[in-house]
Amino acid sequence: MVAITENFEPGKVIVAGLSDFDIAQIFDCGQCFRFDPDPAGGISGVAFGRWVRLEQPRPDTLIIYGAGREEYERVWKRYLSLDEDYGAIKADIAERFAPFDKAGIINAAMERGGGIRILRQDPWETLCSFIVSQNNNIPRIKKIIAALSEEYGEKFEYKSGDGESKTFYSFPTAEALARAGEEALYALRTGFRAKYIYDAARKVAEGELDLGSIAKLPTSEAAAELMKIKGVGLKVASCVLLFGFGRTEAFPVDVWVRRVLDKYYPDGLDTTALGRYAGIAQQYLFYYERYINGNR
DNA sequence: GCCCAGGCGTCCC
DNA sequence: GGGACGCATGGG
């Protein structure tokens, strides 16, 4: 069911009629590193240089603090994939998996992580985030992304009508990171990834790689372009395509998904036959194995 | 202390 | 094309 927006106030948006939507799952399933539980309630964070706090008082209702109606329609609706019919998407996934999945693992995964939505994040930020993610753990990935933003992003002050205020930083541009230089990036405890972040920043800043053009390429060609960056292999490229370019067919295989494939699909799962929502299915499986079966 | 993390580049077969 | 290994750092 597509979201129905029933009430808007300045600086606050209420979205009702939701299904297949759970902010806790969306922001704690390893796709986004800039949102965290907020002391005032719910979850808050930064995207596209804007700060918002999200609350979900009931399963079918979302409150967005820090955005007005126009901004919701232009930014957050798309970011949160509230313009997608996840009921239909799940039905498509179940059908595609049926030949491979006698045990019904995908159905269990869709049950447990049923509120996940694939965010449509900024491609550049997503690229840097998943470069940082390699051989790294999520708390530390978050710390590094925050450090990059505080050091080289733009500083903003958010103030609501009722006294809520927040200082936040946008994610730095490619130009800003290229200007900073590799050594400065290394100084932020990025480790061996500093040269990778720098290479990405330099290529994008100098126009050697145009993310806008990549957005128009077929998925496999787009992946090949992204993999020209040092430190970007198939897995990182797939994550960037899925979480940053809205390519829901991209199917990242990391250690957890590898485990899922070996464990539940020993006879093989043809990941190229899973359709245009394969990446969303991948995210249900990732969440299921890591957060439900795994011990974190 | 130890193992491991949403991998990748490099070397070697 | 595939398997072993090193990599910076810090979370659990």
Side-chain angles (χ1 to χ4, degrees):
Chain A
M1 182 69 186
V2 178
I4 301 161
T5 58
E6 67 174 13
N7 184 20
F8 293 90
E9 300 169 18
K12 175 180 169 184
V13 176
I14 300 174
V15 185
L18 295 171
S19 56
D20 311 296
F21 185 91
D22 183 324
I23 54 172
Q25 292 177 358
I26 290 168
F27 291 101
D28 192 26
C29 74
Q31 62 172 323
C32 171
F33 305 103
R34 295 212 71 193
F35 279 72
D36 283 299
D38 191 289
I43 294 172
S44 66
V46 181
F48 298 106
R50 303 157 193 284
W51 177 90
V52 284
R53 184 165 64 85
L54 308 174
E55 281 188 358
Q56 194 168 6
R58 302 186 338 198
D60 69 347
T61 304
L62 170 70
I63 307 176
I64 307 178
Y65 295 91
R69 174 173 199 154
E70 186 274 335
E71 185 177 312
Y72 168 74
E73 293 290 349
R74 187 164 47 82
V75 179
W76 301 107
K77 187 175 181 177
R78 181 177 155 73
Y79 177 73
L80 295 166
S81 281
L82 286 170
D83 50 355
E84 296 282 352
D85 182 350
Y86 266 64
I89 289 172
K90 287 177 184 173
D92 184 80
I93 290 171
E95 196 174 322
R96 299 274 193 169
F97 268 72
F100 305 105
D101 195 355
K102 306 303 175 203
I105 297 301
I106 190 64
N107 295 311
M110 289 196 290
E111 190 67 32
R112 301 302 292 267
I116 291 172
R117 293 204 178 208
I118 302 297
L119 297 169
R120 291 199 195 83
Q121 303 179 65
D122 173 68
W124 165 244
E125 178 176 337
T126 310
L127 172 59
C128 288
S129 299
F130 281 91
I131 287 174
V132 170
S133 80
Q134 69 168 276
N135 205 41
N136 213 341
N137 57 63
I138 290 175
R140 186 159 171 260
I141 297 165
K142 287 186 169 185
K143 278 176 75 173
I144 291 174
I145 303 296
L148 286 169
S149 301
E150 285 175 31
E151 203 64 34
Y152 299 107
E154 197 177 338
K155 184 175 183 176
F156 293 90
E157 301 284 346
Y158 165 78
K159 286 195 198 316
S160 75
D162 55 358
E164 187 173 4
S165 77
K166 199 88 174 181
T167 300
F168 68 92
Y169 300 84
S170 61
F171 189 80
T173 62
E175 290 74 14
L177 293 185
R179 223 178 300 125
E182 185 181 325
E183 287 184 25
L185 299 175
Y186 189 85
L188 293 181
R189 322 304 289 166
T190 53
F192 63 86
R193 309 163 193 83
K195 55 182 175 295
Y196 302 157
I197 303 167
Y198 179 70
D199 189 58
R202 192 192 57 74
K203 283 190 167 82
V204 171
E206 293 176 1
E208 192 176 325
L209 217 61
D210 179 6
L211 297 179
S213 303
I214 289 176
K216 296 173 188 154
L217 294 175
T219 299
S220 62
E221 291 175 33
E225 282 301 304
L226 292 170
M227 287 165 68
K228 290 179 179 173
I229 298 165
K230 284 182 206 156
V232 177
L234 184 57
K235 190 273 173 181
V236 168
S238 301
C239 284
V240 176
L241 288 168
L242 178 59
F243 304 128
F245 284 94
R247 298 298 178 92
T248 54
E249 72 275 21
F251 193 96
V253 179
D254 74 328
V255 290
W256 294 96
V257 174
R258 182 77 261 162
R259 209 166 293 167
V260 165
L261 297 178
D262 294 342
K263 195 166 156 188
Y264 305 120
Y265 305 94
D267 299 328
L269 175 67
D270 181 2
T271 58
T272 64
L274 299 177
R276 54 187 292 219
Y277 304 119
I280 300 177
Q282 173 277 153
Q283 199 62 12
Y284 291 131
L285 293 170
F286 172 81
Y287 181 84
Y288 182 69
E289 190 61 11
R290 171 163 186 170
Y291 293 89
I292 307 296
N293 290 340
N295 38 9
R296 292 256 161 175

